[in-house]
Each structure stands twice: as C-alpha cells, then as structure tokens.
C-alpha cells in the first residue's frame, strides 16, 4: 500500500469521529512523518464556536505528543470535492514542514489534488529562533 493510500484510509477513519454538530462539516487529517509514522486528527467543534479546533491541529498535536517534529506529507479529507486547509492551519503546518512538503486534498474516494506547501502558503510569519531547535 502506498503512503498516500494509507494516509487517506487513516484520515477517513478519523473523519468518522469528527465532532461537528454545529457546521455539520466533518474533516479528517493524517500526517506522515519521515520516520514513517502516521498521526491523525479530526475537527472538534464547541458551543463557543471559536473554541473549535481543525482536523489538522489535532493531527499536529498527536505528532508532537509522540515526540515527532517534522511533517513529510499531510492529507486532509472532507465529503467535499477538495478541501484546502484554512489559513490558520497552513501556518500551523508550516511550523513543522518544508516549502516542498506535500499537502494532499481528498474527498471520500480519492486524493483530488496535491500541492506543495509553498503553493498554498508562499509566505508565512516566521521567527528564526522558534524553529532553530526543532
Ligand atoms: N475545518 C478543518 O477541520 N480544517 C480546515 O482546514 C478547514 C475547516 C473545520 C473547522 C470546522 O469544524 C468545520 O471545518 C467548518 O469550518
């Protein structure tokens, strides 16, 4: 099984657990690290809407909690044609990724589009000393 097929399967599995009673829009995310591990997340909404978190944030937290610091590839999926990570999530992804890190956008069946991170976020807020020791 290819990396991207595994990423899609695991993101879809996380998407099934999304807690999205307010938007009705379930999202799943899966991160592949250079060591070959996969970390997943789903969106978790809240009655106080801004408290909700995106699927990508959940996957990043799982990766960091496991001691990993590098995103090799990330996949996001929704029922939609092609969900693109929101701007907030692109900044979060960029903290742990390289400009050519692959961002796969998938629906329930397949990866619809794959981008390099730099295509989606050509510029970002960056503090050199925050990323030196990662
Ligand atoms: N959402 C994500 O999980 N990731 C994104 O990149 C965009 C949006 C979630 C947040 C909210 O729970 C729902 O999708 C509708 O905006």
């Amino acid at each position: 099984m290819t990396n991207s097929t595994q990423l899609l399967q695991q993101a879809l599995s996380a998407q099934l657990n999304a807690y999205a009673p307010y938007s009705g829009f379930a999202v799943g995310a899966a991160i592949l690290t250079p060591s070959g591990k996969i970390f997943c997340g789903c969106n978790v909404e809240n009655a106080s809407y801004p408290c909700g978190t995106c699927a990508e944030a959940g996957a990043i937290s799982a990766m960091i909690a496991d001691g990993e610091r590098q995103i090799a590839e990330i996949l996001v999926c929704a029922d939609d044609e092609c969900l693109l990570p929101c701007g907030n999530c692109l900044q979060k992804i960029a903290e742990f990724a390289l400009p050519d890190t692959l961002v796969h956008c998938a629906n329930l069946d397949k990866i619809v589009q794959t981008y390099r991170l730099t295509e989606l976020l050509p510029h970002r807020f960056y503090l050199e000393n925050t990323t030196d020791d990662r």
Side-chain angles (χ1 to χ4, degrees), residues 66-104:
D66 196 62
E68 300 259 348
R69 290 286 188 273
Q70 188 71 42
I71 298 171
E73 297 182 30
I74 182 166
L75 181 148
V76 290
C77 65
D79 297 357
D80 262 29
E81 292 278 300
C82 183
L83 166 79
L84 289 168
C86 71
N88 194 9
C89 285
L90 288 172
Q91 175 74 25
K92 290 182 183 186
I93 292 165
E95 183 77 16
F96 304 106
L98 297 170
D100 64 351
T101 292
L102 297 180
V103 180
H104 306 288

Side-chain angles (χ1 to χ4, degrees), residues 22-67:
Y22 305 102
S23 72
F25 190 73
V27 183
I31 289 171
L32 175 71
T33 63
S35 66
K37 286 188 179 175
I38 293 179
F39 300 94
C40 299
C42 58
N43 52 334
V44 182
E45 297 184 347
N46 192 282
S48 176
Y49 295 175
C51 295
T53 50
C54 285
E56 298 90 325
I60 290 170
S61 292
M63 177 188 81
I64 296 299
D66 196 62

Side-chain angles (χ1 to χ4, degrees), residues 4-16:
S4 52
T5 308
Q6 271 181 292
L7 279 178
L8 179 57
Q9 277 190 359
Q10 296 210 28
L12 287 171
S13 165
Q15 188 200 1
L16 291 175

